[in-house]
Amino acid sequence: MDYKRLIIRGISYSQTQSGAYALLLEHEESNVKLPVVIGNFEAQSISLGLEKDIHPPRPLTHDLFAKFVTSANYTLTSVIIYQIIDGVFFSNINFKNNDNEEELILDARTSDAVAMAVRFEVPIYTTQQVLSEAGILLELDNPATIDENFSPLEAEGNLASFPLEDLHKLLEDAVKDEDFDAALEIQQEIKRRNKKIE
């Protein structure tokens, strides 16, 4: 299968879900962004995994599992976000046994898979279908006029009443404000209209 490589663009506090964070992944070639809502612990664990100079006094769960993987003489080779159902991402963590080269694939929450990927510095992939269903493409070249005081969250229920060019502007503003929940709603409305045009 032709997998699309993702890079981590950042983690931000979710503006719509209390106590949650948005992990922002990006396809390297198309710049399509994939926002994944994650919990507080997972956000902290991914951040610590990215900051190689910071070491907690006691191992976190992901550090403990990473140590176990290494001690069992396995290598983590990649993470694949292979599916999204009802807004939930499904991922696999791929391992290789260093003794006999056998592969081991474990199902995992995407937040846990990414936390492990940053510890082993391995690539994160997804499929074109996941990018098409949940990806957000920020089109900066699209000229649009819209009220600057308008909030995308207020618009979510009324997106059908906006012209397409205004939706592109709303999408751009939502991504700039790191409001990925609203951006996803707007992107879905744009895709729904594009399907009608086709």
Side-chain angles (χ1 to χ4, degrees), residues 1 4 32 36 54 56 58 66 73 81 83 108 111 115 128 134 142 151 156 174:
M1 184 173 282
K4 310 298 181 184
V32 172
V36 181
I54 301 175
R58 302 295 296 144
N73 206 20
I81 304 169
Q83 192 174 19
S111 55
Q128 183 59 53
N142 198 328
S151 165
E156 285 184 37

Side-chain angles (χ1 to χ4, degrees), residues 150 153-162 167 189 193:
F150 186 79
L153 281 178
E154 296 171 8
E156 285 184 37
N158 305 312
L159 290 176
S161 64
F162 281 86
L167 288 176
E189 174 64 19
R193 292 194 194 182

Side-chain angles (χ1 to χ4, degrees), residues 13 17 43 53 55-56 62 71 78 85 92 96 99 103 105 113 132 151 158-159 164 178:
Y13 189 75
Q17 292 191 32
D53 298 333
H55 303 285
H62 297 110
S71 299
S78 65
I85 300 175
N92 283 333
K96 184 178 74 175
D99 294 326
E103 294 183 358
I105 300 173
S132 298
S151 165
N158 305 312
L159 290 176
L164 191 57
E178 297 183 350

Side-chain angles (χ1 to χ4, degrees), residues 25 33-34 56 58 67 80 87 101 104 111 120 129 151 167 177 188:
L25 303 170
K33 291 163 182 62
L34 198 65
R58 302 295 296 144
K67 182 69 174 171
I80 299 174
E101 301 289 314
L104 173 66
S111 55
F120 284 89
Q129 183 177 355
S151 165
L167 288 176
D177 294 339
Q188 287 173 344

